[in-house]
Amino acid sequence: MGKIFYVMGKSSSGKDTIYKRLKEMYPRLRTVVPYTTRPVREGEKDGEEYYFVDGARFHAMEKDGRVLESRSYDTKCGVWTYFTADDGQIDLKTSDYLMIGTLVSYRALRERFGKDALIPVYVEVEDGVRLTRALEREKQQEKPQYAEMCRRFLADAEDFSEDRLSEAGIGRRFVNSDLDVCLEEIGGYISREMSV
């Protein structure tokens, strides 16, 4: 039976960079592209980071029973929904997977596929470093959304609280103060847990 290695962490913890590097390190791991109703950010491409859809498409997929998990956020720019679809991307009978998401989505998928199938890869960084990274990333956007950046930063404190991490069974943490060291630690962890 395959496993899903699920990368997660607070915003600007480096999880996107880690996810991309892990894809290169472990080409055997299949990836799952999530969906979102939020606008495309500078440098993103449809079908790579996300499938970008509108609210009507999300609701149609939900009505058809094709949404495995979803979460919506009332942002400074409107309501944005993120979700994983039952669209044929996941087949645990044949493959191991690498996914990226939130603690909420991890828990929903763990409930759907079982505790043994979902392997958490929780990345963390000191809050001051995260805030600096978030600000630098936002400055690079054509139309920076500083209020939304702050909302995400503050929401993460609640979303990834110690109580919620504990409830989700997240014990192992990977500190991303040095990217190469962090990747080496995660790589060893994945190699030990991967299906034969």
Side-chain angles (χ1 to χ4, degrees):
M1 194 67 165
K3 295 182 179 179
I4 299 172
F5 296 94
Y6 206 83
V7 179
M8 63 192 135
K10 295 176 181 176
S11 59
S12 300
S13 61
K15 65 186 176 295
D16 293 315
T17 300
I18 287 170
Y19 175 75
K20 288 174 185 171
R21 292 277 295 273
L22 289 172
K23 284 195 319 186
E24 295 168 6
M25 292 167 60
Y26 294 94
R28 176 181 161 228
L29 294 176
R30 298 186 67 186
T31 57
V32 176
V33 179
Y35 291 71
T36 185
T37 62
R38 78 155 167 77
V40 179
R41 287 185 186 146
E42 196 77 28
E44 291 180 327
K45 293 181 183 172
D46 186 46
E48 289 188 15
E49 293 84 5
Y50 294 97
Y51 288 115
F52 294 94
V53 299
D54 60 17
R57 174 113 185 263
F58 164 68
H59 291 300
M61 292 174 77
E62 189 175 44
K63 184 178 177 184
D64 291 343
R66 296 183 54 212
V67 174
L68 296 172
E69 61 80 26
S70 69
R71 57 248 176 256
S72 296
Y73 302 97
D74 188 8
T75 75
K76 299 292 181 182
C77 306
V79 176
W80 294 346
T81 299
Y82 296 80
F83 62 102
T84 307
D86 185 3
D87 59 1
Q89 291 187 77
I90 302 172
D91 182 0
L92 292 177
K93 294 176 187 166
T94 62
S95 302
D96 287 323
Y97 293 84
L98 180 66
M99 291 181 70
I100 186 170
T102 66
L103 187 60
V104 171
S105 59
Y106 164 78
R107 291 181 72 168
L109 291 174
R110 186 180 69 172
E111 188 172 310
R112 173 78 177 223
F113 293 111
K115 184 178 178 182
D116 293 338
L118 270 284
I119 309 298
V121 179
Y122 179 65
V123 178
E124 64 182 10
V125 172
E126 189 272 324
D127 281 347
V129 174
R130 283 192 322 102
L131 187 56
T132 300
R133 288 178 182 177
L135 183 58
E136 289 306 313
R137 182 176 69 186
E138 203 58 41
K139 284 180 182 178
Q140 294 173 13
Q141 300 298 311
E142 186 177 320
K143 293 181 180 177
Q145 301 287 333
Y146 296 115
E148 174 55 20
M149 179 202 78
C150 292
R151 185 209 62 80
R152 280 194 318 265
F153 188 86
L154 294 172
D156 281 343
E158 185 176 335
D159 294 346
F160 289 96
S161 70
E162 288 301 320
D163 287 344
R164 289 186 179 178
L165 289 169
S166 179
E167 289 168 6
I170 307 294
R172 180 74 191 263
R173 295 158 190 238
F174 298 93
V175 177
N176 185 18
S177 55
D178 180 308
L179 180 61
D180 291 329
V181 171
C182 186
L183 281 166
E184 186 176 328
E185 290 175 359
I186 293 171
Y189 176 68
I190 288 175
S191 295
R192 287 189 297 276
E193 295 286 339
M194 206 179 297
S195 300
V196 179

